[in-house]
Amino acid sequence: MTSSYSPIDETTRLAILDSYGILDTPAERAFDDVVRLISQLLDAPMAAVSLVAQDRQWFKSELGLGVKETPLGDSICRVAMLEGEQLVVPDTLEDRRFDCNSLVNAVDGVRFYAGAVLRNRDGVPLGALCVLDRKPRPQGLSEQQQFMLTTMAHQLMSQIELRKAMAEQDALIAALRDADQRKDEFLAMLAHELRNPLAPIVSAATMLANFDIDPAMVQRASEIIARQAGHMTSLIDDLLDVSRVTRGKVELEFREIDFKDVITDAIEQVRPLIEKLRHRVVLDLLPARAIVTGDRKRLVQVMTNLLSNAAKYTLEGGRIDVLLTARDDRMTVHIRDDGIGMSPELIATAFELFSQGARGLDRSQGGLGIGLALVRSLLKLHGGAVSASSEGPGCGSTFRVELPLSNRVNVERRARERSADNSRLNALRIGVVDDNEDAAVTLSLLLETLGHTVHVSHSARAALAALPAFEPDVCLLDIGLPEMNGYELAAALRQRAGTGQAILIAVTGYAQDKDRERARAAGFHDLFAKPVDLDMLGAALLQIERRRDD
């Protein structure tokens, strides 16, 4: 057990305490035995395992106190947690810290206290193992007694850690068993799905090979083979897609696209199924464009999967509503059907790989049931999310898709706001340095849209040659530059006449606290993680403009 500990905020400490799942649990012999033993070893009439919660002190085990908890204001263990490993108070009436403590000031109150702090492996204090007496002990505890109290506290904390580890292990084993069961069910269902198209393919091939049939029958057999082969190809493509996405091997071609076009393309792909089942699709789309940055093919695949899912699990002649809205920098699509609905248990696992809802042996809906897992993974790659809701079986389902709107849309909006609200401010001269040419040019175009004058350099050497003459107000410097990194470039720019007074902003893929500290030490005014949040960058630049113009 380590004793090194960096103080954390109380909210974090309480969350860590809750993670042990020990608060408000029934009495356990293991804890009671420790309390009785320490009471006997230290000849104390009272002893307890105390855990300091948000607004109370709760005793997992106690002897002689007669209560399960006390108000936080009466907790001596809370004071002990601030003292290090151990707190010994020979006479509480002589310690000003306990002047307002009702346990101390009560008739026949607590006069002696000794507690060893219960700290987890990271040194976070959770409470204390303590002994108490209604009589003062001017001599306190002997060195041997202090050792016994601390050792018992360490052993008790090890027991608490072991209890947590075993609970986590049990949960992991249960999850693995569940995953293994779902995998077995998935493989059985996969075999079923692959055999289904194989049967007509084999029959049609046998007919073509062994019988003298007329051209019309040949045509029909060929169509059966082609149709069933296409179905098998679709199944295999789904499997490969899930494999690539889950292993991070999928390649996306990001472009700015109107999501209304994505919805239109997806409906066209699902139209044969919708018409076959005589469903009615009702669209409620934004009048304006909803521009997102993404891979059009993959986003169409997302919407196709969701619309197919709605169509398959809605009884013939049903209704499917597609609602597209946008607010601030997010776009939302609701796909709502009046189909068979979903149970809470199915909703909880709907987007998990190998998860299947209850279906009949005929498997009339078809498919591998991996579409929703693929939807979630593809949306995550686009910075989006998906969720499902339902009032229950028979009450229909709603799937909600969220995606960030394109930066260009936000930039255009901010440009309009800036023009209306800040027309008195003069634009900035901004130097952008990034060896990724596409990233640098895109950022410069966005900054120019906001009205700023921008000079782009793709290397530190080019920046040192050009920026002093450009005399920028602000420099946005990539940190991961070849030959000379962004920190070294910042130092060099500080020495040049035309750039010595410029405000430097770091742009980097590394944005942990240590990176921010290093950036400040190198003279940077601010640091932004890639991809740059243009709202935050725009706000920072606006502050710089205002300070300059004041």
Side-chain angles (χ1 to χ4, degrees), residues 235 371 421 547:
L235 294 176
D421 300 335
R547 284 200 300 268

Side-chain angles (χ1 to χ4, degrees), residues 180-199:
D180 189 58
Q181 180 181 352
R182 286 189 282 117
K183 179 205 68 177
D184 290 343
E185 292 172 353
F186 172 79
L187 291 176
M189 176 266 299
L190 175 60
H192 181 279
E193 286 294 312
L194 291 177
R195 286 194 185 102
N196 271 347
L198 278 176

Side-chain angles (χ1 to χ4, degrees), residues 15 34 37 46 48 99 192 210 223 228 230 234 306 311 327 473 540:
V34 170
L37 180 60
M46 296 177 287
D99 284 351
H192 181 279
N210 297 317
E223 290 174 353
Q228 296 301 324
S234 177
L306 292 174
R327 184 176 181 181
D473 301 301

Side-chain angles (χ1 to χ4, degrees), residues 72-361:
L72 193 60
D74 291 337
S75 173
I76 304 178
C77 292
R78 182 181 62 166
V79 178
M81 286 167 48
L82 304 174
E83 292 294 314
E85 286 295 312
Q86 193 177 102
L87 172 67
V88 178
V89 184
D91 191 340
T92 57
L93 292 180
E94 295 181 358
D95 194 317
R96 299 298 302 273
R97 290 176 293 182
F98 309 116
D99 284 351
C100 298
N101 190 306
S102 61
L103 293 179
V104 171
N105 295 321
V107 177
D108 200 24
V110 173
R111 294 290 302 275
F112 169 77
Y113 172 91
V117 179
L118 299 172
R119 296 183 185 274
N120 71 359
R121 289 192 179 94
D122 297 320
V124 178
L126 307 181
L129 172 64
C130 60
V131 293
L132 310 97
D133 201 336
R134 301 190 188 282
K135 300 177 181 178
R137 294 189 182 184
Q139 75 281 7
L141 293 180
S142 67
E143 185 176 339
Q144 183 181 15
Q145 289 175 321
Q146 292 182 39
F147 173 77
M148 286 189 290
L149 181 60
T150 300
T151 300
M152 293 295 289
H154 288 175
Q155 293 300 317
L156 189 62
M157 193 64 230
S158 296
Q159 183 174 314
I160 294 173
E161 294 277 13
L162 179 60
R163 168 199 178 103
K164 180 184 179 185
M166 291 178 65
E168 291 173 346
Q169 184 182 46
D170 289 344
L172 179 59
I173 291 173
L176 288 173
R177 285 174 178 164
D178 182 60
D180 189 58
Q181 180 181 352
R182 286 189 282 117
K183 179 205 68 177
D184 290 343
E185 292 172 353
F186 172 79
L187 291 176
M189 176 266 299
L190 175 60
H192 181 279
E193 286 294 312
L194 291 177
R195 286 194 185 102
N196 271 347
L198 278 176
I201 288 174
V202 170
S203 298
T206 301
M207 182 174 61
L208 290 173
N210 297 317
F211 297 95
D212 184 14
I213 56 178
D214 61 59
M217 292 295 291
V218 172
Q219 177 68 23
R220 185 177 179 185
S222 299
E223 290 174 353
I224 290 173
I225 291 173
R227 185 165 56 251
Q228 296 301 324
H231 179 57
M232 289 187 68
T233 300
S234 177
L235 294 176
I236 294 170
D237 285 344
D238 279 351
L239 281 172
L240 293 176
D241 273 343
V242 168
S243 175
R244 282 191 291 263
V245 170
T246 54
R247 290 184 296 115
K249 300 297 184 182
V250 65
E251 294 184 2
L252 301 178
E253 296 182 6
F254 284 94
R255 298 286 188 275
E256 286 191 339
I257 50 178
D258 187 346
F259 204 81
K260 290 197 293 184
D261 294 336
V262 171
I263 294 174
T264 300
D265 289 353
I267 289 176
E268 282 303 311
Q269 291 194 24
V270 184
R271 188 174 300 282
L273 177 62
I274 290 174
E275 291 178 348
K276 177 183 176 182
L277 297 173
R278 298 189 296 111
H279 292 324
R280 183 160 64 100
V281 177
V282 179
L283 300 179
D284 185 357
L285 308 182
L286 285 171
R289 296 192 301 165
I291 305 296
V292 300
T293 302
D295 186 304
R296 181 173 184 140
K297 177 182 176 182
R298 294 300 187 177
L299 290 177
V300 169
Q301 184 179 8
V302 164
M303 291 303 299
T304 299
N305 280 346
L306 292 174
L307 288 168
S308 297
N309 195 73
K312 289 177 182 178
Y313 296 104
T314 297
L315 299 179
E316 188 173 343
R319 170 170 171 156
I320 301 172
D321 291 279
V322 181
L323 171 65
L324 171 63
T325 59
R327 184 176 181 181
D328 298 329
D329 60 349
R330 304 288 290 182
M331 178 215 75
T332 304
V333 181
H334 289 88
I335 301 99
R336 185 181 301 112
D337 64 64
D338 56 1
I340 64 175
M342 304 170 72
S343 66
E345 294 77 17
L346 179 55
I347 291 175
T349 61
F351 300 100
E352 299 295 330
L353 193 58
F354 305 144
S355 178
Q356 290 281 305
R359 302 180 183 179
L361 292 176

